[in-house]
Amino acid sequence: MDRCERAREIVADTRRTLGSAAANLDEEAQIELYDLAFSTAELTAAEVMLEYAAQDAPRDEQAFKQALALAFSAEAASNLHHRLRLRPSAYGLGAAQLPNDYVEFADAYLSPEHLSALGQAWRDRSGRLPDDHLDGEKSMIRETFRQFSDERVAPLAESIHRGNTMIPDAIIDGLRDLGCFGLCVPERYGGLQPDDSEDRLGMVVVTEELSRGSLGAAGSLITRPEIMAQALLEGGTEAQKRRWLPALAAGDLLCAVSVTEPSTGSDVAAVSLRAEKIDGGWLLNGGKTWCTFAGKAGAILVLARTDPVVRPAHRGLSLFVVEKPSYDGHDFEYAEPRGGKVSGRAIPTIGYRGMHSFEMFYDDFFVPDDALVGESQGRGRGFYYTMRGFSGGRLQTAARASGLMRAAFEAALDYAENRSVFGRAVAGFPLTLQKLARMGMYIVACRQFSYAVAQRIDAAGASRNGAQMAASLVKLFACKVAESVTREAMQIHGGMGYGEESAVSRYFVDARVLSIFEGAEETLALKVVGRALLSGAHSLWVDLITE
């Protein structure tokens, strides 16, 4: 039997075991659901890797792709079985329900010999990733933004991080010139996205390349326009779309998204910032936190409670577009001429610097009726419009993780090749080779997973639930992996990696935010993926993306 075909059987059998385990759980089994959610994401990534390995390529390239896919599939299966064997009674499984047929497979493809050979292959390739199988247009987009990232972003990234400064105009203006902000806006509103389809894949490719240059100074710049554009396209009036979307596409209107509150975190339905109806508009009162780019932004998409007594609570939320002047500093205060004020203070963070994340307070801040997304028809629909935007944001965050990991991997490999200890290059030691093997393997898996999700959404026009599920799975997986990959990159650097003058220390602290924003991993694992598992949908890939 073909090795990859055997791997598919192993993954399919492992999925069935996962389904049997999930059938014995309920929502209170949070530790078990959390583990199964990650295994679901890993197994989905393994399926993607095996599909990727089957795509035609020159012989050596094909062999390398297959070696990566086999090792990754073995690791995904082993991880689930390890989790199950830690607490078999909690999953209601007996010894007979814990198959061992994956053990021989894992022994072969997770062996020191196989992993060391993979590590050496990465050395021989100088860290070059295998063929991405993108078409000519997407390859040209990648090359354009890779060049911009190398020439305009990377040289400024360290000074932005260490000085905790705002992203300079040289980066923002350059991205305007490239049309970057129009990637999420349809052509009829001045953007680059086709009117009759979505192009999530293009945004993923661009986000990955910009994040490789800097997560905080470039990789996140198009996530907020994506969320705002999707919300407007979902629920905005035609007048609102024509008012804001062309300005977003041109990069003339920089935006922020304000959902999180100090006492709610990822519990979006519990938002309490109040919007009180008055003649001609609304008064906003309350606080928000972690509003990234709020100072520089000329528009903030704010989720507020317009109907406090409506049940369920999420039906009482509405979205507003708050317009204000742009500020470059770490704090600001704006008095609205028609009444009230809004103030913001940048929250000091260990990483993800450049855009600044703000704590906000609204005090009787007036917004007109036409600032309510959808106007009268949009009242109480804010939660749904926000979720539409978040699916794109989560997919982009997975791409950000891929770009950040690539930067860390490239730096680690370069250092390991040029640093000698005990008379030998660090890269030549078996342990380093196995580290490089796993780092590169996970980067390829994350990249291909994000591409696969984007392509299926673009091609199938996935349902809202399907798109949310797929985006949640890839974010859950990629962001967790980014922490371990950047950690290993720092470890390979030794003491140099701990110094701030080394870029790899920035990659490490930047990676830590990925599992927190755009949906904390606990929320995605328990409330999105976990609930789907409890409903019996343990495939969560073909089923939900095409439902």
Side-chain angles (χ1 to χ4, degrees), residues 385-406:
Y385 302 158
T386 303
M387 290 299 103
R388 169 66 185 268
F390 274 6
S391 66
R394 287 170 181 169
L395 177 55
Q396 281 194 40
T397 301
R400 287 186 271 185
S402 294
L404 182 61
M405 284 187 280
R406 282 177 52 211

Side-chain angles (χ1 to χ4, degrees), residues 439-512:
M439 291 165 71
M441 175 180 78
Y442 276 112
I443 291 169
V444 175
C446 290
R447 171 191 258 195
Q448 291 304 317
F449 196 176
S450 64
Y451 290 178
V453 171
Q455 287 169 327
R456 294 196 184 199
I457 293 175
D458 288 346
S463 70
R464 183 182 292 111
N465 286 342
Q468 280 284 359
M469 181 59 65
S472 296
L473 279 171
V474 70
K475 181 195 182 296
L476 184 66
F477 170 68
C479 295
K480 188 73 169 180
V481 168
E483 292 180 37
S484 63
V485 169
T486 53
R487 186 262 184 202
E488 291 288 41
M490 177 184 275
Q491 190 68 26
I492 287 172
H493 278 74
M496 289 298 297
Y498 199 65
E500 281 201 7
E501 65 267 24
S502 172
V504 77
S505 67
R506 168 167 53 90
Y507 303 147
F508 179 69
V509 294
D510 279 356
R512 190 61 196 88

Side-chain angles (χ1 to χ4, degrees), residues 251-266:
D252 296 331
L253 181 67
L254 300 176
C255 71
V257 177
S258 192
V259 173
T260 305
E261 296 181 1
S263 60
T264 63
S266 293

Side-chain angles (χ1 to χ4, degrees), residues 198-522:
E198 297 188 47
D199 186 13
R200 298 292 178 92
L201 181 57
M203 281 188 290
V204 163
V205 170
V206 170
T207 299
E208 182 187 336
E209 291 302 329
L210 292 179
S211 299
R212 180 173 157 270
S214 170
L215 182 71
S220 296
L221 276 171
I222 60 174
T223 302
R224 278 135 205 89
E226 154 80 1
I227 294 172
M228 183 170 173
Q230 288 298 321
L232 288 169
L233 291 168
E234 177 80 0
T237 66
E238 187 60 29
Q240 289 174 331
K241 294 172 187 175
R242 295 195 178 279
R243 175 180 175 184
W244 286 310
L245 288 176
L248 279 178
D252 296 331
L253 181 67
L254 300 176
C255 71
V257 177
S258 192
V259 173
T260 305
E261 296 181 1
S263 60
T264 63
S266 293
D267 186 3
V268 176
V271 160
S272 62
L273 183 139
R274 303 185 312 279
E276 179 187 356
K277 186 72 182 77
I278 63 170
D279 186 32
W282 300 79
L283 293 182
L284 302 184
N285 280 283
K288 292 284 188 182
T289 193
W290 299 115
C291 183
T292 302
F293 214 41
K296 187 75 170 178
I300 305 177
L301 193 67
V302 179
L303 187 65
R305 187 161 297 283
T306 50
D307 300 285
V309 298
V310 170
R311 293 294 180 270
H314 69 270
R315 293 184 179 175
L317 300 174
S318 303
L319 268 181
F320 294 87
V321 177
V322 171
E323 295 181 278
K324 63 174 234 347
S326 177
Y327 301 91
D328 279 337
H330 286 225
D331 55 75
F332 68 88
E333 182 174 295
Y334 170 59
E336 162 60 46
R338 291 163 291 187
K341 66 179 180 180
V342 60
S343 58
R345 177 190 68 87
I347 303 168
T349 58
I350 62 172
Y352 191 49
R353 297 170 178 170
M355 301 184 78
H356 306 328
S357 292
F358 285 79
E359 183 178 46
M360 309 280 292
F361 189 78
Y362 295 85
D363 182 11
D364 278 340
F365 187 85
F366 177 85
V367 290
D369 283 328
D370 62 3
L372 172 60
V373 175
E375 297 193 27
S376 61
Q377 297 300 309
R379 181 168 178 169
R381 302 287 301 169
F383 177 83
Y384 304 102
Y385 302 158
T386 303
M387 290 299 103
R388 169 66 185 268
F390 274 6
S391 66
R394 287 170 181 169
L395 177 55
Q396 281 194 40
T397 301
R400 287 186 271 185
S402 294
L404 182 61
M405 284 187 280
R406 282 177 52 211
F409 179 62
E410 290 166 5
L413 180 57
D414 180 69
Y415 183 85
E417 292 287 13
N418 291 286
R419 167 72 167 165
S420 294
V421 292
F422 307 115
R424 189 175 181 183
V426 169
F429 286 91
L431 182 58
T432 307
L433 290 172
Q434 292 178 46
K435 287 177 182 286
L436 293 172
R438 278 198 161 91
M439 291 165 71
M441 175 180 78
Y442 276 112
I443 291 169
V444 175
C446 290
R447 171 191 258 195
Q448 291 304 317
F449 196 176
S450 64
Y451 290 178
V453 171
Q455 287 169 327
R456 294 196 184 199
I457 293 175
D458 288 346
S463 70
R464 183 182 292 111
N465 286 342
Q468 280 284 359
M469 181 59 65
S472 296
L473 279 171
V474 70
K475 181 195 182 296
L476 184 66
F477 170 68
C479 295
K480 188 73 169 180
V481 168
E483 292 180 37
S484 63
V485 169
T486 53
R487 186 262 184 202
E488 291 288 41
M490 177 184 275
Q491 190 68 26
I492 287 172
H493 278 74
M496 289 298 297
Y498 199 65
E500 281 201 7
E501 65 267 24
S502 172
V504 77
S505 67
R506 168 167 53 90
Y507 303 147
F508 179 69
V509 294
D510 279 356
R512 190 61 196 88
V513 76
L514 294 170
S515 290
I516 298 172
F517 66 10
E518 304 292 348
E521 70 178 35
E522 293 83 1

Side-chain angles (χ1 to χ4, degrees), residues 41-283:
E42 288 176 330
L43 291 170
T44 305
E47 291 173 345
V48 170
M49 283 289 279
L50 290 167
E51 291 177 5
Y52 168 66
Q55 293 179 270
D56 289 338
R59 178 179 295 180
D60 289 348
E61 193 79 352
Q62 190 82 349
F64 184 54
K65 291 196 304 174
Q66 287 184 355
L68 292 171
L70 291 167
F72 185 85
S73 299
E75 186 135 306
S78 295
N79 286 344
L80 172 65
H81 287 285
H82 174 70
R83 289 162 182 154
L84 295 180
R85 280 173 163 76
L86 281 176
R87 293 186 300 276
S89 60
Y91 297 103
L93 298 178
Q97 293 170 287
L98 293 171
N100 291 307
D101 59 349
Y102 74 96
V103 174
E104 183 180 348
F105 181 77
D107 282 346
Y109 297 110
L110 296 179
S111 67
E113 294 78 15
H114 186 76
L115 292 176
S116 292
L118 275 180
Q120 184 59 48
W122 283 115
R123 291 185 71 190
D124 295 342
R125 300 169 65 90
S126 299
R128 178 176 57 84
L129 270 59
D131 192 348
D132 54 26
H133 295 294
L134 295 178
D135 63 24
E137 179 191 18
K138 294 298 186 295
S139 294
M140 182 175 67
I141 290 173
R142 176 187 296 289
E143 187 53 41
T144 297
F145 282 92
R146 175 183 292 160
Q147 183 176 350
F148 180 86
S149 189
D150 286 344
E151 296 178 359
R152 303 281 287 276
V153 177
L156 299 174
E158 200 62 29
S159 63
I160 293 169
H161 171 74
R162 295 178 68 181
N164 197 19
T165 59
M166 178 57 66
I167 302 170
D169 290 339
I171 292 176
I172 294 175
D173 291 344
L175 292 177
R176 281 194 186 105
D177 293 342
L178 290 173
C180 181
F181 298 102
L183 290 167
C184 55
V185 177
E187 291 175 343
R188 65 184 181 277
Y189 297 114
L192 299 178
Q193 190 171 108
D195 286 332
D196 58 353
S197 63
E198 297 188 47
D199 186 13
R200 298 292 178 92
L201 181 57
M203 281 188 290
V204 163
V205 170
V206 170
T207 299
E208 182 187 336
E209 291 302 329
L210 292 179
S211 299
R212 180 173 157 270
S214 170
L215 182 71
S220 296
L221 276 171
I222 60 174
T223 302
R224 278 135 205 89
E226 154 80 1
I227 294 172
M228 183 170 173
Q230 288 298 321
L232 288 169
L233 291 168
E234 177 80 0
T237 66
E238 187 60 29
Q240 289 174 331
K241 294 172 187 175
R242 295 195 178 279
R243 175 180 175 184
W244 286 310
L245 288 176
L248 279 178
D252 296 331
L253 181 67
L254 300 176
C255 71
V257 177
S258 192
V259 173
T260 305
E261 296 181 1
S263 60
T264 63
S266 293
D267 186 3
V268 176
V271 160
S272 62
L273 183 139
R274 303 185 312 279
E276 179 187 356
K277 186 72 182 77
I278 63 170
D279 186 32
W282 300 79
L283 293 182

